[in-house]
Amino acid sequence: MDHDIDRLPKVELHIHIEGSLEPELMFAMAERNGVALPYASVEDVRRAYEFSDLQSFLDIYYAGARVLLTEQDFYDMTWAYLERCRNDNVRHTEIFFDPQTHTDRGVAFETVIDGISRALSDGERLLGISSRLILCFLRHLSAEAAMATLEQALPFGDRIAAVGLDSSETGHPPAKFRAVFDRARAVGFASVAHAGEEGPPDYIRQALDLLKVRRIDHGVQCVRDPDLVRRLADEQIPLTVCPLSNVKLCVFDRIEDHNLKQLLGAGVCVTVNSDDPAYFGGYIGRNFRATARALDLDRTEIEQLARNAVTASFLDAAGKQRLHAEIDRWRAGPVPEA
Ligand code: HPA
Ligand code: ZN
């Protein structure tokens, strides 16, 4: 049973825009920008997408991002993602971008954010998809570099809803970025952080207690600490879970082993997301379908996942109400042809 997942109005809360760069577009950009790629063909790229853990993916992901140089490149990448959103009936999306991946190669912060945000405005105007932008700091780099990136972002603050934390988790605890997140909050940004993807439950606690994040990205390792699972449920801290990503990066051996249904049953505000869809074998629709099938989710659980994402979003009350009403109409079934 696929429970009419295609029609389900969706909200995506965990997508790295650089991770939506499909090999075909990567090749086109490499050619037009004169950037050499270590692959002979698109098929060769896809064959390289076999990962053993987070770091083995990140090495390839940062190499792929080297083709992005111009404002138009960032626009084209973001627009291609929004077209996938339209196909999956994504109604609202909150997009991560990694400025340091680009500014460290000499691409201006402004080039990156102008291209992404121009596509997002077109997405709202032409496709009716609303969005927010989340600036992620690369945690394998220093806290000082993150602070400098935050300062660079301030003139563009009206286009950024929140800050986040991504890249290599092990050995880079949230505590390392406490001062950066203090400053981000002081200037008015909300915050989120990747925690408990591969790292221990304590990193989830640090993200909550030290970085004061509004939601946890991934968070699936929380099950190693039952008190923490209870806290996440009691405080309704959203987890942005990415099932196909977790299988590709060997967090779970098989999607049938994923703990999403267990967390949902424990009352945690779990959501379904794609993470890096060009690398992990599917956009949000495919994540929903694969998870529903493997974990035998019923229609009520699918509806709960969709509503959780609305609730966990950075939309205002009116925006959330509008999307809940769309889910009400989905639940009532298709409108019969006149
Ligand atoms: N984890 C951490 N950093 C990332 C990821 C991820 O899944 N994707 C892109 N950057
Ligand atoms: Zn991620």
Side-chain angles (χ1 to χ4, degrees):
M1 270 290 269
D2 91 338
H3 300 300
D4 206 6
I5 285 169
D6 288 350
R7 262 186 66 249
L8 178 70
K10 300 174 192 72
V11 167
E12 176 142 72
L13 302 177
H14 186 154
I15 156 80
H16 302 263
I17 199 62
E18 295 89 349
S20 74
L21 184 61
E22 293 286 344
E24 288 78 6
L25 198 49
M26 190 190 291
F27 258 77
M29 288 180 188
E31 192 154 319
R32 75 192 187 199
N33 291 334
V35 176
L37 280 175
Y39 308 106
S41 65
V42 164
E43 295 70 40
D44 201 24
V45 182
R46 289 222 158 81
R47 266 194 298 276
Y49 290 176
E50 290 294 333
F51 312 114
S52 53
D53 58 10
L54 174 58
Q55 193 59 50
S56 65
F57 154 70
L58 290 170
D59 294 342
I60 286 183
Y61 163 79
Y62 293 131
R66 289 175 49 252
V67 302
L68 294 157
L69 290 180
T70 68
E71 193 258 12
Q72 191 65 40
D73 296 337
F74 289 93
Y75 179 93
D76 290 347
M77 171 175 68
T78 308
W79 183 254
Y81 164 68
L82 289 166
E83 290 189 316
R84 302 284 191 151
C85 284
R86 179 185 50 190
N87 291 343
D88 273 344
N89 202 23
V90 173
R91 308 290 302 118
H92 174 75
T93 181
E94 302 192 351
I95 293 174
F96 296 132
F97 74 119
D98 288 343
Q100 289 160 289
T101 299
H102 314 298
T103 52
D104 285 1
R105 297 180 292 116
V107 178
F109 189 101
E110 190 174 8
T111 302
V112 178
I113 197 165
D114 280 355
I116 296 172
S117 54
R118 184 162 64 88
L120 294 180
S121 326
D122 283 354
E124 175 118 45
R125 192 168 52 85
L126 302 171
L127 306 177
I129 300 170
S130 58
S131 54
R132 297 285 186 276
L133 203 44
I134 303 172
L135 182 163
C136 275
F137 304 112
L138 298 183
R139 69 203 302 163
H140 70 279
L141 302 178
S142 69
E144 291 70 27
M147 192 68 97
T149 302
L150 177 59
E151 297 302 329
Q152 247 182 330
L154 293 183
F156 308 96
D158 58 337
R159 294 191 236 166
I160 298 169
V163 297
L165 190 61
D166 66 3
S167 194
S168 322
E169 186 177 11
T170 308
H172 302 286
K176 174 176 163 184
F177 296 94
R178 187 176 185 165
V180 182
F181 276 63
D182 280 347
R183 169 106 177 107
R185 269 199 324 284
V187 297
F189 293 122
S191 67
V192 299
H194 283 54
E197 177 182 14
E198 289 182 340
D202 182 54
Y203 283 18
I204 299 174
R205 290 185 182 280
Q206 287 185 27
L208 295 173
D209 296 333
L210 305 182
L211 306 188
K212 308 202 187 307
V213 299
R214 294 257 295 269
R215 49 186 200 233
I216 297 284
D217 298 311
H218 293 294
V220 292
Q221 300 297 336
C222 68
V223 294
R224 291 156 54 190
D225 178 344
D227 284 345
L228 178 58
V229 174
R230 269 189 293 278
R231 175 179 176 191
L232 295 172
D234 287 349
E235 298 180 18
Q236 284 295 288
I237 310 284
L239 301 187
T240 63
V241 173
C242 307
L244 291 175
S245 163
N246 291 154
V247 175
K248 271 299 238 185
L249 301 188
C250 307
V251 174
F252 298 95
D253 291 338
R254 306 173 313 150
I255 194 154
E256 287 79 8
D257 302 326
H258 202 286
N259 62 17
L260 177 141
K261 186 168 174 160
Q262 176 193 345
L263 290 167
L264 200 58
V268 178
C269 181
V270 182
T271 65
V272 170
N273 307 272
S274 69
D275 208 4
D276 299 280
Y279 292 86
F280 298 152
Y283 290 76
I284 190 172
R286 192 154 190 189
N287 272 273
F288 262 101
R289 283 189 297 274
T291 308
R293 198 174 313 124
L295 303 183
D296 194 25
L297 300 181
D298 63 24
R299 198 174 162 88
T300 307
E301 288 166 319
I302 302 283
E303 179 183 345
Q304 186 67 52
L305 289 166
R307 290 199 190 275
N308 285 350
V310 174
T311 305
S313 74
F314 291 126
L315 284 166
D316 62 16
K320 290 183 187 186
Q321 203 175 14
R322 231 181 353 258
L323 288 178
H324 280 306
E326 287 197 26
I327 297 174
D328 291 343
R329 287 194 288 278
W330 168 84
R331 186 175 55 184
V335 179
E337 301 267 329

